[in-house]
Amino acid sequence: MSALTGTTRLARLVLRRDRIRLAIWILGTPLLGYALAGSVAGIYPGQEARLGYATTSASSLVARAFNGPIHGTDLGAVVVAETYVTLALIVALLSTFAVTRHTRQNEETGRAELLGANVVGRYAPLTAALLVIVAANTLAAVLLAVALAGAGLPLAGSVAAAAAIGGVGVAFTAIAAVTAQLSVTARGANALAAATVGLAFVLRAAGDVLGEQSADGTRVRSAWPSWISPLGWGNQVRAFDGERWWVLALPVALLLVGVALAYALAERRDQGAGLIAPRRGPATAAPRLLSPAGLAWRMQRGTLLGWAVGVAVLGFSMGIAGDEFNDMIDANPAAAEAINAMGGGADLINAYLAAMLGLFALTIGAYVVQALLRVRGDEADGVLEAALATAVSRTRWLGTQVLAATLGAVALLLVAGVTTGLGYGIVTGDPLGQAVELGGAALLRLPALLVIAGVVTAIFGLLPRWSVVLSWTALLVFLLLGQLGAVLELPQAALNVSPYTHVPAVPAVDPAALPLVVLAAVAAALLAVGVAAFRHRDVPS
């Protein structure tokens, strides 16, 4: 029997299990790319506006760190500078999580052992997962190229930009194949892969910050750290600026090396084991773990700490960048109009700060979804059934999970507001005052996050099997409508679907109590529906 026996059938199984996730991924990436491209084209319609953007971005170290290098004043180059990092991070994380789900998670849950009882080669499960995920990245890249070209960008540059983003997904598919061999748990494998994504981002940012600005001030040539980062490779393709097609061979080479290394590591470990030995815990558990609240904190603390560090770094950087905002606005009135649409108010600096806090609230919404979807994972893995066999009621258990996610959201909002205020206050001479003001402004976004928590809870109670797909889809819809809807000039009826639309854009405008009260009431109703439905359905479902 060959080591690849059964690969085709296992690939079909992967497609069957992930048909909804893959459809959202493959169709959502080009749709998001098309929407972002249209938004950028509306903000920077003319050559003069793009020249101002290019010179400001090339001279701003903050812009180079977070957006990457700019490659000229063509509309396509501006679109890539504004959208590449976002799309690349999305496909990188989607790829790593998908590989882990169909490799390490299968071993952890016993599915791999069950499949191995049939005529299945040793490498077949890993190979099947890699084939499907690489194919998904490829198809998403093809559709993204069509979408960018449909948005009015040149075909060659559109293909290069889409291929660069697809290449990021392929590269991290290879990395996840290796991390799946190292950790004994799916959570550990995902953590290793996510840490690799973070390291790649830091290396790319360092290379772009250390890069050289061109003589005309509209281009940046990255330094060597970008060349050792898979996220940096996409920038080096230079879409819409004399494309360098040969760079696309780098993620393919990494895929081949990663697959060979994963195969070699798989030969050296037992089924279900990892090459990194799990850390031994204490002989006796802490008393706090006997309560649902203590267990929820134990399970969430590592994730919350990672989110807090990332939010703090981004918040401080966005605050520092506020000092450069006036220069960008002076060079581009269209950008001022877009920021005003996102942040509201006549004071553009306050509109910028409000828009940044709005973006943080959207991002923290992903934390709320991730934290609450753990309840579905506990149900599927049998943990919930064991917990409910004790004196813990369903209402108490689910309420504790919602409370833990809500308190985590409060903490992250405070971190976002305070660090943004500190960064902006340092450049304006009032760090303490700005930290207090923006910390309070950030907390006003909490009712929108409570609505998201209510939506996830209601879906979990009513449609548990669809909770993962529907919850992330709802967050994506809220993101597009709440943050890009105003820029894309969508009808107000569509904008009202997103809870973020109803949050006052403080500090750009004065706070209003009524919208916050209404959002809190909607969140309470959704939470009540979710808890009631959970109490009356089967577990597991």
Side-chain angles (χ1 to χ4, degrees):
M1 180 179 68
S2 168
L4 298 177
T5 300
T7 298
T8 302
R9 291 189 175 183
L10 289 178
R12 290 169 56 189
L13 178 61
V14 172
L15 288 170
R16 176 68 179 81
R17 288 183 60 197
D18 272 10
R19 61 191 185 280
I20 304 298
R21 290 187 178 94
L22 290 173
I24 294 174
W25 175 0
I26 293 170
L27 297 177
T29 301
L31 288 175
L32 180 59
Y34 182 84
L36 292 173
S39 173
V40 172
I43 296 174
Y44 306 100
Q47 182 67 21
E48 183 178 355
R50 295 196 293 271
L51 177 61
Y53 172 86
T55 53
T56 302
S57 297
S59 60
S60 169
L61 297 183
V62 174
R64 284 154 65 172
F66 287 96
N67 289 348
I70 182 73
H71 294 298
T73 59
D74 288 346
L75 176 59
V78 175
V79 168
V80 169
E82 283 288 287
T83 63
Y84 168 76
V85 171
T86 299
L87 293 174
L89 287 174
I90 289 173
V91 300
L93 293 174
L94 286 174
S95 298
T96 56
F97 293 161
V99 172
T100 301
R101 184 165 56 252
H102 294 290
T103 53
R104 173 52 59 184
Q105 188 183 79
N106 281 350
E107 293 190 38
E108 187 177 7
T109 59
R111 295 192 191 100
E113 191 173 4
L114 182 63
L115 292 172
N118 296 289
V119 184
V120 174
R122 184 173 182 82
Y123 301 152
L126 174 60
T127 306
L130 295 179
L131 287 175
V132 171
I133 296 162
V134 169
N137 276 295
T138 303
L139 184 54
V142 170
L143 295 179
L144 178 59
V146 174
L148 294 177
L153 302 180
L155 180 60
S158 299
V159 172
I165 292 169
V168 171
V170 168
F172 282 99
T173 297
I175 291 171
V178 175
T179 61
Q181 313 305 315
L182 300 177
S183 175
V184 72
T185 65
R187 187 174 301 165
N190 278 330
L192 288 173
T196 307
V197 174
L199 177 61
F201 181 89
V202 170
L203 289 171
R204 181 213 55 78
D208 295 335
V209 167
L210 296 174
E212 297 181 358
Q213 189 174 356
S214 63
D216 62 359
T218 62
R219 290 171 173 80
V220 173
R221 297 295 179 251
S222 302
W224 63 267
S226 291
W227 286 98
I228 56 177
S229 166
L231 286 174
W233 296 341
N235 290 131
Q236 305 315 314
V237 174
R238 294 184 187 174
F240 304 101
D241 185 36
E243 293 80 9
R244 299 195 294 190
W245 300 100
W246 63 268
V247 178
L248 296 173
L250 294 178
V252 177
L254 180 58
L255 176 65
L256 297 176
V257 172
V259 171
L261 179 58
Y263 284 167
L265 295 177
E267 284 285 354
R268 288 164 174 77
R269 66 177 181 87
D270 293 331
Q271 179 79 15
L275 293 175
I276 298 177
R279 187 181 61 181
R280 297 183 63 181
T284 59
R288 64 177 179 274
L289 295 180
L290 295 174
S291 68
L295 181 60
W297 165 246
R298 176 64 180 83
M299 301 301 292
Q300 295 287 354
R301 65 184 184 183
T303 302
L304 181 60
L305 177 61
W307 274 86
V309 171
V311 167
V313 172
L314 289 173
F316 188 77
S317 301
M318 293 299 101
I320 293 289
D323 190 46
E324 301 174 348
F325 183 70
N326 280 326
D327 295 335
M328 185 186 78
I329 293 305
D330 291 340
N332 191 355
E337 182 179 350
I339 289 292
N340 187 42
M342 294 168 60
D347 188 327
L348 287 175
I349 288 294
N350 282 336
Y352 164 79
L353 294 173
M356 293 304 102
L357 293 180
L359 287 172
F360 277 118
L362 283 168
T363 305
I364 295 168
Y367 166 80
V368 173
V369 174
Q370 180 187 24
L372 285 177
L373 284 180
R374 188 183 295 274
V375 300
R376 177 55 186 167
D378 288 346
E379 182 178 13
D381 295 341
V383 175
L384 173 56
E385 201 169 4
L388 296 180
T390 65
V392 178
S393 68
R394 294 191 183 199
T395 301
R396 182 186 175 193
W397 182 82
L398 184 56
T400 300
Q401 303 298 321
V402 173
L403 179 61
T406 302
L407 292 177
V410 171
L412 292 177
L413 285 173
L414 274 175
V415 170
V418 169
T419 54
T420 302
L422 285 175
Y424 183 62
I426 287 174
V427 298
T428 58
D430 184 23
L432 181 60
Q434 291 293 336
V436 171
E437 180 181 355
L438 293 184
L443 285 178
L444 292 177
R445 273 73 180 175
L446 180 61
L449 297 178
L450 291 178
V451 172
I452 293 175
V455 169
V456 177
T457 304
I459 293 173
F460 171 70
L462 295 169
L463 301 168
R465 293 180 181 273
W466 293 84
S467 55
V468 174
V469 172
L470 292 180
S471 297
W472 287 112
T473 301
L475 180 65
L476 179 61
V477 171
F478 293 160
L479 184 153
L480 293 175
L481 294 178
Q483 203 60 37
L484 298 177
V487 176
L488 297 176
E489 299 180 352
L490 296 178
Q492 188 61 41
L495 300 183
N496 288 338
V497 173
S498 172
Y500 294 103
T501 302
H502 307 283
V503 176
V506 181
V509 300
D510 294 331
L514 181 60
L516 303 180
V517 172
V518 172
L519 286 175
V522 171
L526 290 169
L527 289 170
V529 169
V531 172
F534 177 61
R535 289 180 59 194
H536 293 91
R537 69 170 175 81
D538 292 335
V539 174
S541 174

